[in-house]
Amino acid sequence: MKLFQRSAVSLFRAEEISAELMKGRRALLKMGCACCVALAASPYALAQTSSPDVAQHLAAAKEAAGSDLGAYLALGRSADPNFNQPVPDLEALMKVPAPPPGRAFDNFYFVGSKWVSTWAITTSDGIILIDAMDNEEEAVRIVEGGLKTLGLDPAKVKTIIVTHGHGDHYGGANYFVQKYKSRIVSDIDWTMMETKLEFDTPLWGRPPKRDVSVVDGDKATLGETTIDILITPGHTMGTISPIFDVLSGSQKHRALLWGGTSFNFGKKPERLQAYIDATARTREVAKRQGVEVFISNHNGYDGALDKLAAKTVNGPNPFILGAPTVQRALTVMNECAQATLASWRS
């Protein structure tokens, strides 16, 4: 198994910056750690502002969102100086019954909960998981159980790519390491996971021990499947947004899984500027590669559960958005981030 190879050309260069140590669940909830907490607000209720610069970016975001990408407009709420971040009840979110697992493409499967997602990519040499849920109990019940329901063998999970160092994405990884000897892939977020967790709660499993470290431009390969590693800093400074092929019969489509969406890191202009730069450059990469499938690790953003329910054997696959729609999604995120940064500076 060739776990990863280093590319001579880097798509992104992410610099690690220090994060303030947030201790305990109370601090976690105050900051709104749940990555999709912004979705608690109405997605079309954009910020109220008297700043022409902020208003211009919000208008651009709304135009790009159209009638189908409204969930991402929730990010624009952060541009309102009077907006109070909703407080997520993680325990309640985790108690919501898990939806049935599903098959989005011939080689791409959903095995997550209603609020946070784990995705499985099948290859000729095993399975790659993208993220691993909140904790060991969910790893057993939702991920391992979901794979079995889909007719997939959990023992074939060879690699887990952790999109970023928050516990709702790494919490169940240790279960697969201990039971199936799975390898864990991360980048500079390893340092955060092993030294200063940005957020923490007893509801999450402990971070995995440092294993495979990647940098922007690397390629993770298992069997005949190769995943491009894009580092898209902002949500964390080491957020990974993988690009890979998904299969539908004889057709191949390029997919991008955006690794970290919300601005839940407090008023840190350097983080938001990194997010702005990352979305802008990813938009260019997606355009060059013809990306037409845009996935999230939170169902609230990509509507994965509705798409799975709508998917039929002979009908069009609702996960295939088309390249222009992927461009619009990245534009919405970018413009909302620019609006928020402009509001902080006004």
Side-chain angles (χ1 to χ4, degrees), residues 72-101:
Y72 294 98
L73 284 177
L75 298 172
R77 300 276 291 178
S78 299
D80 188 339
N82 298 315
F83 176 64
N84 293 318
Q85 188 78 270
V87 177
D89 187 337
L90 297 183
E91 190 168 5
L93 288 169
M94 292 164 66
K95 285 182 178 179
V96 175

Side-chain angles (χ1 to χ4, degrees), residues 295-344:
I295 303 292
S296 174
N297 45 22
H298 283 281
N299 165 68
Y301 287 115
D302 65 3
L305 296 179
D306 289 339
K307 291 172 183 174
L308 286 170
K311 189 172 178 287
T312 60
V313 175
N314 298 317
N317 189 324
F319 285 94
I320 303 173
L321 304 179
T325 299
V326 173
Q327 293 291 299
R328 288 194 295 113
L330 289 162
T331 296
V332 176
M333 296 158 61
N334 177 273
E335 292 290 349
C336 286
Q338 289 197 68
T340 300
L341 185 59
S343 74
W344 291 354

Side-chain angles (χ1 to χ4, degrees), residues 58-328:
L58 290 177
K62 187 173 183 179
E63 180 180 1
S67 61
D68 55 335
L69 298 173
Y72 294 98
L73 284 177
L75 298 172
R77 300 276 291 178
S78 299
D80 188 339
N82 298 315
F83 176 64
N84 293 318
Q85 188 78 270
V87 177
D89 187 337
L90 297 183
E91 190 168 5
L93 288 169
M94 292 164 66
K95 285 182 178 179
V96 175
R103 185 178 185 177
F105 290 91
D106 294 350
N107 65 329
F108 192 56
Y109 301 79
F110 172 88
V111 281
S113 70
K114 189 173 179 61
W115 83 281
V116 65
S117 306
T118 288
W119 294 93
I121 302 172
T122 55
T123 80
S124 59
D125 193 34
I127 297 171
I128 300 170
L129 291 183
I130 302 178
D131 289 340
M133 301 300 295
D134 294 283
N135 51 46
E136 179 175 330
E137 188 276 332
E138 289 186 352
V140 174
R141 175 173 54 88
I142 298 177
V143 183
E144 185 179 52
L147 291 173
K148 290 179 179 178
T149 298
L150 293 165
L152 303 175
D153 183 0
K156 293 184 177 181
V157 174
K158 302 288 184 66
T159 304
I160 301 175
I161 297 174
V162 174
T163 56
H164 61 275
H166 291 162
D168 48 336
H169 301 283
Y170 66 64
N174 282 327
Y175 174 76
F176 286 92
V177 172
Q178 294 163 7
K179 185 172 182 179
Y180 299 120
K181 310 303 180 187
S182 305
R183 303 297 302 275
I184 309 298
V185 176
S186 186
D187 59 348
I188 63 172
D189 274 6
W190 277 124
T191 301
M192 178 173 69
M193 288 188 283
E194 64 191 4
T195 59
K196 293 183 177 182
L197 290 175
E198 187 169 45
F199 301 114
D200 199 11
T201 169
L203 298 173
W204 288 341
R206 294 304 82 202
K209 292 183 178 179
R210 183 182 289 262
D211 191 2
V212 179
S213 293
V214 293
V215 298
D216 180 72
D218 281 349
K219 296 180 182 295
T221 299
L222 187 63
E224 83 297 347
T225 299
T226 296
I227 296 176
D228 288 350
I229 300 295
L230 274 65
I231 308 302
T232 54
H235 185 73
T236 68
M237 290 310 289
T239 295
I240 296 174
S241 294
I243 295 182
F244 49 95
D245 290 332
V246 288
L247 308 175
S248 182
S250 60
Q251 295 183 334
K252 183 184 295 185
H253 304 276
R254 202 71 170 143
L256 165 66
L257 193 152
W258 186 256
T261 307
S262 68
F263 318 146
N264 61 346
F265 39 78
K267 196 172 182 178
K268 296 183 174 67
E270 71 281 2
R271 288 275 288 271
L272 199 53
Q273 185 61 58
Y275 190 106
I276 291 167
D277 295 341
T279 48
R281 298 187 69 184
T282 301
R283 188 168 51 198
E284 294 304 312
V285 172
K287 183 177 181 179
R288 289 198 304 269
Q289 296 198 19
V291 172
E292 51 186 341
V293 177
F294 192 66
I295 303 292
S296 174
N297 45 22
H298 283 281
N299 165 68
Y301 287 115
D302 65 3
L305 296 179
D306 289 339
K307 291 172 183 174
L308 286 170
K311 189 172 178 287
T312 60
V313 175
N314 298 317
N317 189 324
F319 285 94
I320 303 173
L321 304 179
T325 299
V326 173
Q327 293 291 299
R328 288 194 295 113

